[in-house]
Amino acid sequence: MDVIIRENYEEMSRCAAEIIAELVRSKPNCVLGLATGSTPIGTYKELIRMHKEGLDFSGIKTFNLDEYLGIGIDLKKPYDQDQSYARFMHEELFKNINIKKENTHVPDGLAKEPEKHCQWYEGEIKKAGGIDLQLLGIGGDGHWAFNEPGSSLSSRTRVEPLNKQTIDDNYESFYKKAGVKKEEMPHFAITMGIGTILESRHAVMLANGKKKAEVIARALEGALTCQITASAIQLHPGKTTVVLDKEAASELKNIEHYKHVERLKEEYKL
Ligand code: GLP
């Protein structure tokens, strides 16, 4: 696992975007797994900037981690009134780059038979040849996507109830400004499973800010546990990169080691 620590959010975002851009350049038909939340917004902004300078997304496919159950994209509504992750992706990335709409996938929160839809989603990922690079954030309760504490570390795409902390966090970050009452927020989501995420060939996890410091330390350096589903990063068999800003890294014990490895890799061009 490579842990890269950058000075601030902007540098963390640039670093993550450069990792993604390198893959898009070397494999123009790559499959990206994408994430929502406030953390990756800067990375998407940077990718949009790179696109304006020529980065070509026309051959790539994307699969998003998750979507709230019971809501779907509604382009007739203003952005701040549409809390679907499909809308988030449209506004924060897709509409600003040359990706083909049919190549983008976000679980359908309005699916009539959600469990069947989850199986279909898994099948589409397989048909695409699997995920080359999965971008990930981390929830305040340590979750990946919407794999709440207690989720099996080999779980697949499924419907998952949201826990109280996630509802509180996401209410504060996104729903409050839309004037939605907390009790009206979706309480379930469709989420890729931890097992699904672990099959990605390269996992790239991002975190920034002091409020993520404790949970990042528990996920990276604490015990592997389904209570902090992001700790499954310790099990990831492929390439694994964690990009943090200084504040999110502030409670890690092995910082000097991570910096040493980064310096060595730079020196030996690994
Ligand atoms: C949501 C998403 C996660 C994301 C998390 C963190 O719960 N389902 O995929 O990692 O929020 O969000 P933020 O980046 O806003 O802290």
Side-chain angles (χ1 to χ4, degrees), residues 171-182:
Y171 178 73
E172 286 304 320
S173 304
F174 294 101
Y175 280 81
K176 202 173 170 177
K177 59 175 182 279
V180 176
K181 292 194 192 110
K182 205 187 270 185

Side-chain angles (χ1 to χ4, degrees), residues 36-40 65-66 85 137-139 143 145-146 166 170 174 212:
T36 52
S38 40
T39 311
L65 286 168
D66 46 11
Y85 280 171
I138 183 170
H143 66 218
F146 274 130
T166 300
N170 292 359
F174 294 101
K212 293 285 171 71

Side-chain angles (χ1 to χ4, degrees), residues 124-137:
E124 289 303 294
I125 295 174
K126 282 212 175 72
K127 263 205 269 175
I131 292 173
D132 289 302
L133 184 155
Q134 178 65 58
L135 189 63
L136 295 152

Side-chain angles (χ1 to χ4, degrees), residues 153-217:
L153 298 182
S154 57
S155 51
R156 311 300 307 186
T157 304
R158 69 198 185 288
V159 174
E160 175 76 4
L162 304 181
N163 83 0
K164 192 172 168 324
Q165 186 180 346
T166 300
I167 291 173
D168 289 350
D169 288 351
N170 292 359
Y171 178 73
E172 286 304 320
S173 304
F174 294 101
Y175 280 81
K176 202 173 170 177
K177 59 175 182 279
V180 176
K181 292 194 192 110
K182 205 187 270 185
E183 54 277 17
E184 289 166 0
M185 262 186 78
H187 284 53
F188 291 85
I190 293 177
T191 180
M192 268 191 211
I194 297 294
T196 322
I197 294 169
L198 290 176
E199 282 170 9
S200 61
R201 288 183 270 278
H202 185 181
V204 178
M205 174 158 80
L206 310 181
N208 67 288
K210 190 81 196 132
K211 70 175 200 294
K212 293 285 171 71
E214 190 195 336
V215 80
I216 275 291

